Amino acid sequence: MKPEKKYPSEVYLNGKWLKPDEAFVSVFDRAFMFGDGIYEVTPFYKGKAFKLKEHLKRLQYCLDEIQVSFDAFALEELMYEALDRAILNEDDAAVYIQVSRGVAARSHFVPEKIETTVLLYAFPVTLEGFEKKTWEVIATEDKRWHRCDIKSTALLANVMANEEAIAAGFAENLLVRKGYFTEGSHSSLFFVKYGVVHTHPEGHKILSGVTRAEIVNICADLNIKVVEKAVHIDELVEVDEIFVTGTTTQIIPVSSITHKNKKVYTARKDSITRKLQKVFIERTRS
């Protein structure tokens, strides 16, 4: 059974704080028409942001890549206001931001001089207890476009991949492009082979995960070698541990992978994953 998702009590939309049933955008908003917008999610641990600058930097990068002129860092104060208004400034929560190119008559070319549409709100999220979870996952073909580094609102391929996993009783769908793992439908992906952590290199084929980057930093601090190189599905016989990461996922070990109705991986160890979880908890809760 899928968990129920509740609407926030209040949202910020284009300069106003509104109840969700009072917040509307035009049918000609380009995010609605084309998925022509960028989104970002930032975690707050007991009211304290984790890697806020990095999340806003990623938002700015994506806006720049699609040539939307907007200052992402101008939203920082509004993010804290959203927490206050939702009475979440001492709780675990996250802030969702969406910036659309704006409203214009429908055309594939980009219109000039239109105002961006900005949506922002805070919502409660459970960030404790992730270290007690394990995920059984599936692996399928990566059908996404070739700019996965852009955190676009056009997420149909991700939605289809995740729905395929959930409908079949799995927690996530790991995506494979020409035999090589890229990432999950909504998570970054790591493998441990002979004590070395492997992850797909930065670039257009994966989203630049903020949590992913922090895991690489933690590995460096723990003297755990990291190799940024794609892992082929045939290499799973050499893999001892797999874990996924994300803003609200944090760090969750993968217990098994099913590919084409056949189990192709079963976890053998979890020692490195547990070390990383321990340090991550210390950093987010300190």
Side-chain angles (χ1 to χ4, degrees):
M1 182 177 179
K2 296 179 182 180
E4 180 184 1
K5 296 289 186 180
K6 296 182 179 180
Y7 291 106
S9 59
E10 197 174 28
V11 303
Y12 173 91
L13 179 65
N14 294 338
K16 297 179 180 179
W17 290 97
L18 301 165
K19 300 295 182 185
D21 58 1
E22 298 171 343
F24 297 97
V25 295
S26 168
V27 294
F28 292 104
D29 191 287
R30 289 179 65 87
F32 176 74
M33 286 283 184
F34 297 109
D36 188 1
I38 301 297
Y39 77 99
E40 185 60 64
V41 181
T42 303
F44 288 77
Y45 292 80
K46 303 299 182 185
K48 295 182 180 179
F50 184 67
K51 300 294 178 179
L52 176 57
K53 300 297 184 185
E54 287 81 354
H55 280 280
L56 290 175
K57 183 178 179 181
R58 181 170 65 179
L59 175 59
Q60 189 68 62
Y61 164 80
C62 294
L63 289 167
D64 292 344
E65 286 296 294
I66 68 168
Q67 298 181 337
V68 169
S69 180
F70 185 85
D71 181 8
F73 290 89
L75 297 175
E76 183 172 346
E77 187 175 333
L78 281 170
M79 295 171 75
Y80 283 101
E81 184 177 353
L83 289 173
D84 290 340
R85 297 177 77 100
I87 317 177
L88 290 171
N89 48 359
E90 295 183 358
D91 298 322
D92 286 353
V95 172
Y96 178 85
I97 299 170
Q98 180 172 308
V99 181
S100 159
R101 193 180 303 275
V103 178
R106 189 182 188 280
S107 65
H108 280 69
F109 66 85
V110 176
E112 296 180 2
K113 297 180 181 178
I114 59 173
E115 293 293 324
T116 52
T117 300
V118 181
L119 171 69
L120 182 151
Y121 62 85
F123 60 99
V125 63
T126 301
L127 295 174
E128 292 182 320
F130 70 89
E131 72 279 8
K132 300 175 184 177
K133 300 177 182 178
T134 59
W135 279 2
E136 294 183 336
V137 306
I138 59 172
T140 65
E141 180 186 355
D142 191 342
K143 300 177 181 179
R144 301 171 302 162
W145 71 322
H146 294 283
R147 289 303 306 272
C148 299
D149 57 314
I150 297 175
K151 201 170 174 67
S152 165
T153 57
L155 286 170
L156 181 58
N158 299 70
V159 168
M160 292 173 66
N162 194 240
E163 177 60 25
E164 182 178 357
I166 299 301
F170 295 93
E172 173 62 305
N173 192 338
L174 306 186
L175 307 176
V176 180
R177 193 176 295 230
K178 295 183 179 180
Y180 289 91
F181 287 98
T182 51
E183 56 190 344
S185 69
H186 65 298
S187 61
S188 299
L189 181 58
F190 291 82
F191 303 82
V192 181
K193 295 170 54 181
Y194 309 115
V196 176
V197 173
H198 294 251
T199 188
H200 197 288
E202 294 273 8
H204 291 177
K205 293 180 181 179
I206 68 167
L207 179 68
S208 180
V210 174
T211 306
R212 174 192 178 280
E214 183 62 13
I215 297 309
V216 173
N217 291 337
I218 293 173
C219 285
D221 293 341
L222 294 177
N223 293 316
I224 296 171
K225 185 178 179 180
V226 175
V227 174
E228 296 196 48
K229 181 181 178 182
V231 172
H232 196 277
I233 194 167
D234 291 342
E235 296 177 59
L236 289 177
V237 294
E238 302 174 343
V239 173
D240 291 319
E241 303 175 49
I242 299 174
F243 59 92
V244 293
T245 68
T247 296
T248 56
T249 300
Q250 299 169 100
I251 309 171
I252 296 182
V254 170
S255 59
S256 68
I257 300 175
T258 296
H259 176 59
K260 295 181 179 179
N261 297 316
K262 179 182 177 182
K263 190 169 288 190
V264 294
Y265 166 82
T266 301
R268 301 176 182 88
K269 300 178 182 178
D270 67 357
S271 56
I272 288 181
T273 305
R274 298 305 179 190
K275 287 179 183 178
L276 297 173
Q277 286 178 327
K278 182 176 183 294
V279 176
F280 188 81
I281 290 171
E282 290 170 355
R283 294 190 179 186
T284 55
R285 296 295 175 181
S286 63

